[in-house]
């Protein structure tokens, strides 16, 4: 809490709030969040809960009245609060939350209740000790109608920190990490709040008990509300990239100074000189750069007021999932690459591993997010098809026939040219082809099931694993394209050459990881697989020579990186 206060005193809490209360600069907020990701992840989470989730939901779901009353106090941390969405019984499936707020016309209040023990709010950051006000996600019942999940402000402690009547709070106790955050459970027993406590940007209730919303469809309204909170997902993904950068900076610097074995006593080799050591670190370094550029594009889309919101939500879901998985995988590789030193707490990797673990669960469970991403891909696919006129459809079918031909004759499409497999255009073409194939076959599988009488929702569940593969294919393609276009924007010749090598390595790692699929679909011959593997190996060697410069380019301040084994000499 004290560290969070220091950041609030610097004005960082107010960055994303609308004027005049804040600087209306959500891009800078994400940048600040990503930078804190190099430091302590409990601080990161506490910062994110207070200013991003709690304050952000007041800013995006509330109206001017709520902004005037709360944002300055939230952004300065004078008013610590919670974002109370998850319940023990409902985590990923937020639409079916059970907490209920019933409008009482006699007193012009909402009465908030936890109807069953499974409906208690759970894992809520800032709940166990510090929070005084909570944004509570609850069903809204007016008269006889349940209008679905809405957000409402409920005080939980007074100014002295005493828990208010009707509220019960329990500490979640020790967690697998992030123990600097006071996560807790909350129960509400007929807690009364004034009608104005409803965050009413998308729906309101007037003094006669009339419910009104510009979005009449409850599902659409709910997803619109939730969609405005996409910044949290983007921030966690961007912070995961920072964690991967920190872990790699530690491990790569160590690999450039630690010696083991060698041809003669006293002449031991550096770890970075060993191929199997490089193999663990260097492709992950390339992937980390790739995610860095992918998030740059995502953040640009987030701050673009004219952007496509649905698309942004889908891209954020996919990139958050794969970047957080990448971060965890990288921390473990870095930990092992530092041997016993990596296991010492002072070198930070074990805390990083424990704390970043939950990045794959909060702000949306990763596997659930892959399904969200896949659904968006299907929608785009359908729209593309529907918007085609007869010529478009004919052209499409011709293209499909040509692809089928390609599948039948792998040798013509396979290459054994190492410079070709390293080129951005060839790599992107492979990933586009795979993505198109995966999305189209996903659509076909669903269509077949629906035609056989399966309900659409059930049909989608039956093809979940295929959907996750299609989502991965999309994220990998988008990430490689972001990398390639970032390289294209670099003026400095030497830097461009170096990063292009890194891009080539990342593209080949991605294709190599799925060589079985490419071969299965007739896209690669055995000969081209061998070229890919050889080229990959030699790129790993070349990039390893530049790897110290590449991690130093992350420019993580020494006092933030702090691991003694990685201190600059
Ligand atoms: C440290 C921490 C801090 C948190 N902070 C907050 C907070 O401040 N505020 C807040 O509101 N929440 C918070 N959460 C809650 C968090 O957002 C949820 O834990 C998360 O949304 C997942 O929900 P769940 O735990 O119920 O898991 P579940 O949804 O039960 O998921 C469990 C498993 O089931 C799988 N699964 C679920 N649905 C499907 C499906 N349809 N198809 C296939 N597989 C599926 C998932 O992939 C996962 O592997 C926090 C959690 C933790 C651990």
């Amino acid at each position: 809490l004290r560290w969070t206060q220091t950041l609030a005193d610097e004005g960082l809490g107010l960055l994303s709030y609308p004027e005049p209360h804040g600087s209306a600069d959500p891009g800078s907020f994400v940048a600040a969040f990503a930078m804190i990701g190099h430091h302590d992840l409990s601080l990161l989470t506490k910062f994110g809960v207070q200013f991003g989730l709690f304050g952000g939901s007041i800013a995006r779901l509330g109206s001017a009245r709520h902004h005037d009353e709360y944002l300055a106090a939230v952004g300065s941390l004078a008013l610590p609060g919670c974002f109370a969405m998850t319940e023990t019984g409902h985590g990923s499936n937020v639409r079916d939350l059970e907490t209920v707020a019933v409008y009482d016309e006699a007193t012009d209040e909402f009465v908030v209740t936890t109807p069953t023990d499974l409906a208690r709010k759970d894992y809520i950051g800032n709940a166990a000790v510090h929070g005084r006000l909570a944004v509570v996600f609850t069903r809204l019942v007016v008269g006889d109608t349940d209008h679905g999940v809405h957000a409402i402000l409920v005080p939980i402690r007074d100014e002295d920190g005493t828990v208010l009547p009707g509220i019960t709070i329990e500490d979640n106790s020790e967690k697998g990490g992030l123990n600097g955050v006071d996560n807790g459970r909350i129960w509400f027993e007929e807690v009364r709040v004034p009608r104005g406590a409803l965050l009413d940007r998308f729906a309101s209730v007037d003094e006669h008990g009339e419910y009104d919303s510009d979005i009449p469809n409850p599902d659409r309204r709910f997803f619109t509300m939730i969609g405005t909170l996409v910044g949290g997902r983007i921030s966690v993904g961007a912070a995961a990239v920072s964690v991967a950068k920190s872990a790699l900076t530690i491990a790569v610097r160590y690999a450039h100074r630690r010696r083991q074995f060698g041809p003669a006593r006293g002449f031991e080799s550096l770890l970075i000189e060993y191929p199997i050591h490089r193999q663990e670190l260097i492709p992950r370094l390339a992937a980390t750069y790739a995610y860095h550029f992918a998030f740059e594009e995502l953040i640009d889309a987030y701050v673009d007021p004219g952007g496509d919101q649905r698309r942004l939500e889908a891209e954020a879901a996919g990139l958050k999932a794969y970047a957080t998985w990448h971060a965890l995988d990288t921390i473990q590789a870095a930990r092992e690459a530092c041997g016993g030193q990596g296991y010492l707490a002072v070198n930070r990797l074990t805390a990083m591993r424990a704390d970043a673990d939950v990045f794959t669960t909060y702000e949306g469970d990763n596997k659930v997010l892959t399904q969200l991403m896949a659904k968006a891909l299907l929608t785009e696919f359908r729209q593309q098809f529907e918007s085609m006129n007869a010529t478009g459809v004919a052209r499409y079918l011709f293209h499909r026939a040509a692809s089928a031909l390609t599948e039948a004759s792998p040798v013509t499409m396979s290459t054994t040219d190492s410079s070709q497999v390293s080129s951005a255009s060839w790599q992107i073409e492979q990933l586009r082809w795979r993505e198109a194939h995966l999305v189209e076959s996903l659509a076909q599988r669903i269509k077949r099931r629906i035609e056989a009488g399966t309900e659409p929702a059930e049909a989608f569940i039956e093809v979940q694993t295929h959907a996750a593969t299609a989502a991965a294919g999309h994220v990998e393609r988008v990430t490689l394209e972001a990398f390639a276009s970032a390289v294209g924007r670099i003026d400095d010749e030497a830097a461009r050459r170096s990063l292009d090598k890194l891009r080539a390595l990342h593209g080949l790692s991605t294709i190599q990881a799925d060589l079985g699929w490419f071969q299965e679909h007739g896209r690669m011959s055995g000969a081209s697989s061998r070229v890919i593997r050889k080229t990959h190996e030699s790129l790993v060697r070349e990039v390893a020579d530049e790897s110290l410069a590449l991690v130093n380019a992350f420019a993580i301040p020494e006092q933030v990186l702090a691991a003694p084994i990685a201190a600059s000499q």
Side-chain angles (χ1 to χ4, degrees):
L1 181 72
R2 209 166 54 238
W3 287 357
T4 311
Q5 186 64 61
T6 305
L7 299 178
D9 294 345
E10 295 286 330
L12 298 184
L14 291 162
L15 283 173
S16 70
Y17 302 157
E19 286 165 339
H21 309 289
S23 353
D25 186 0
S28 291
F29 182 81
V30 179
F33 193 84
M35 292 306 104
I36 301 168
H38 286 301
H39 188 245
D40 181 89
L41 301 184
S42 282
L43 173 65
L44 178 88
T45 302
K46 192 93 174 160
F47 180 91
V49 164
Q50 171 69 18
F51 307 120
L53 293 175
F54 170 55
S57 52
I58 296 176
R60 291 180 184 261
L61 301 178
S63 45
R65 186 163 47 85
H66 302 108
H67 297 175
D68 293 344
E69 190 168 349
Y70 297 110
L71 286 183
V74 174
S76 66
L77 198 54
L79 178 62
C82 308
F83 176 88
M85 181 182 270
T86 306
E87 295 173 0
T88 309
H90 288 94
S92 299
N93 178 14
V94 191
R95 200 184 46 182
D96 290 331
L97 293 178
E98 291 182 280
T99 302
V100 65
V102 180
Y103 179 64
D104 178 354
E105 202 180 336
T107 58
D108 201 21
E109 290 171 322
F110 290 107
V111 185
V112 184
T113 305
T114 304
T116 68
D117 216 31
L118 279 179
R120 67 186 184 190
K121 294 294 173 186
D122 210 344
Y123 318 104
I124 310 302
N126 262 352
V129 184
H130 298 127
R132 299 217 314 263
L133 182 68
V135 171
V136 177
F137 287 79
T138 163
R139 317 203 71 76
L140 193 76
V141 175
V142 184
D144 294 331
T145 313
D146 178 343
H147 293 280
V149 173
H150 290 65
I152 195 163
L153 289 163
V154 183
I156 56 171
R157 287 190 178 84
D158 66 14
E159 292 209 356
D160 303 325
T162 307
V163 175
L164 291 170
I167 308 281
T168 304
I169 293 180
E170 186 178 280
D171 197 319
N172 269 127
S173 190
E174 194 179 342
K175 303 179 291 282
L178 296 183
N179 283 302
V181 185
D182 52 331
N183 295 91
R185 304 188 173 110
I186 314 176
W187 289 257
F188 305 95
E189 197 186 337
E190 301 204 352
V191 177
R192 290 182 167 269
V193 291
R195 182 166 48 87
L198 176 69
L199 294 177
D200 57 359
R201 176 170 164 208
F202 294 105
S204 61
V205 177
D206 71 15
E207 65 274 26
H208 309 297
E210 287 295 324
Y211 176 89
D212 183 43
S213 172
D214 289 342
I215 313 174
N217 180 311
D219 272 355
R220 249 197 62 204
R221 182 168 59 236
F222 171 72
F223 287 113
T224 305
M225 283 168 56
I226 297 294
T228 63
L229 307 176
V230 67
R233 216 160 260 174
I234 297 172
S235 299
V236 168
V241 180
S242 299
V243 175
K245 288 176 183 172
S246 296
L248 283 167
T249 304
I250 294 168
V252 169
R253 283 190 183 170
Y254 189 63
H256 280 268
R257 62 183 61 152
R258 171 74 173 171
R259 291 177 183 275
Q260 282 297 285
F261 300 102
R265 267 183 103 78
F267 289 99
E268 291 183 315
S269 300
L270 289 167
L271 294 182
I272 197 70
E273 289 163 4
Y274 290 108
I276 52 170
H277 198 79
R278 295 196 291 252
Q279 181 60 37
E280 287 299 301
L281 297 178
I282 303 304
R284 290 183 169 91
L285 178 60
T288 301
Y289 265 89
Y291 282 116
H292 169 95
F293 293 121
F295 271 89
E296 270 193 356
E297 282 193 358
L298 184 67
I299 294 163
D300 283 347
Y302 172 54
V303 299
D304 173 7
D308 175 345
Q309 176 71 15
R310 292 272 167 258
R311 194 181 180 117
L312 174 73
E313 286 167 31
E315 299 293 332
L319 273 169
K320 181 269 183 184
Y322 288 96
T324 54
W325 273 325
H326 167 69
L328 272 189
D329 167 67
T330 299
I331 298 166
Q332 181 61 22
R335 204 302 287 149
E336 291 177 31
C338 296
Q341 286 282 4
Y343 201 64
L344 300 186
V346 72
N347 288 318
R348 296 195 52 217
L349 292 163
T350 50
M352 266 182 220
R353 185 177 56 194
D355 292 341
D357 184 332
V358 79
F359 283 15
T360 62
T361 298
Y362 70 22
E363 278 298 342
D365 171 87
N366 278 4
K367 278 182 284 161
V368 174
L369 293 182
T370 63
Q371 301 301 298
L372 244 169
M373 164 100 257
K375 277 186 189 151
L377 292 175
L378 283 173
T379 309
E380 277 185 20
F381 178 78
R382 205 186 56 221
Q383 282 165 352
Q384 207 183 335
F385 215 86
E386 278 169 359
S387 67
M388 279 183 203
N389 54 21
T391 337
V393 173
R395 206 180 302 128
Y396 175 80
L397 292 175
F398 174 77
H399 175 73
R400 282 297 309 145
S403 313
L405 203 68
T406 306
E407 285 171 43
S409 54
V411 183
T412 52
M413 283 312 291
S414 281
T415 173
T416 50
D417 177 353
S418 150
S419 66
Q420 190 178 4
V421 300
S422 305
S423 73
S425 56
W426 185 86
Q427 293 182 344
I428 289 170
E429 191 196 331
Q430 306 316 308
L431 297 193
R432 279 194 187 154
W433 187 86
R434 182 182 57 161
E435 180 189 349
H437 194 290
L438 286 168
V439 175
E440 192 188 322
S441 51
L442 176 65
Q444 276 170 358
R445 284 181 185 206
I446 294 174
K447 187 165 166 277
R448 268 201 305 274
R449 282 170 170 76
I450 293 174
E451 281 167 358
T454 312
E455 283 294 309
E458 187 54 38
F460 189 80
I461 291 172
E462 285 181 14
V463 299
Q464 269 197 336
T465 49
H466 191 121
T469 313
H474 174 79
V475 171
E476 287 176 351
R477 191 265 298 168
V478 166
T479 304
L480 184 65
E481 282 187 353
F483 201 159
S485 57
V487 171
R489 290 192 298 273
I490 297 170
D491 290 331
D492 182 283
E493 172 82 30
R496 192 174 59 240
R497 222 177 311 119
S498 177
L499 279 186
D500 196 46
K501 218 183 296 169
L502 208 56
R503 187 275 312 148
L505 172 59
H506 178 64
L508 285 184
S509 300
T510 309
I511 292 167
Q512 188 171 292
D514 215 11
L515 268 180
W517 187 92
F518 282 107
Q519 288 194 338
E520 203 179 290
H521 291 80
R523 191 72 182 180
M524 308 261 167
S525 64
S528 55
S529 286
R530 276 194 298 281
V531 169
I532 288 169
R533 213 175 347 264
K534 273 189 161 161
T535 311
H536 187 266
E537 220 174 284
S538 71
L539 279 169
V540 168
R541 195 172 50 242
E542 286 176 43
V543 172
D545 292 341
E546 299 174 357
S547 56
L548 201 52
L550 286 165
V551 295
N552 289 340
F554 294 144
I556 306 168
E558 292 298 318
Q559 65 273 36
V560 174
L561 191 66
I565 51 166
S568 280
Q569 291 167 326

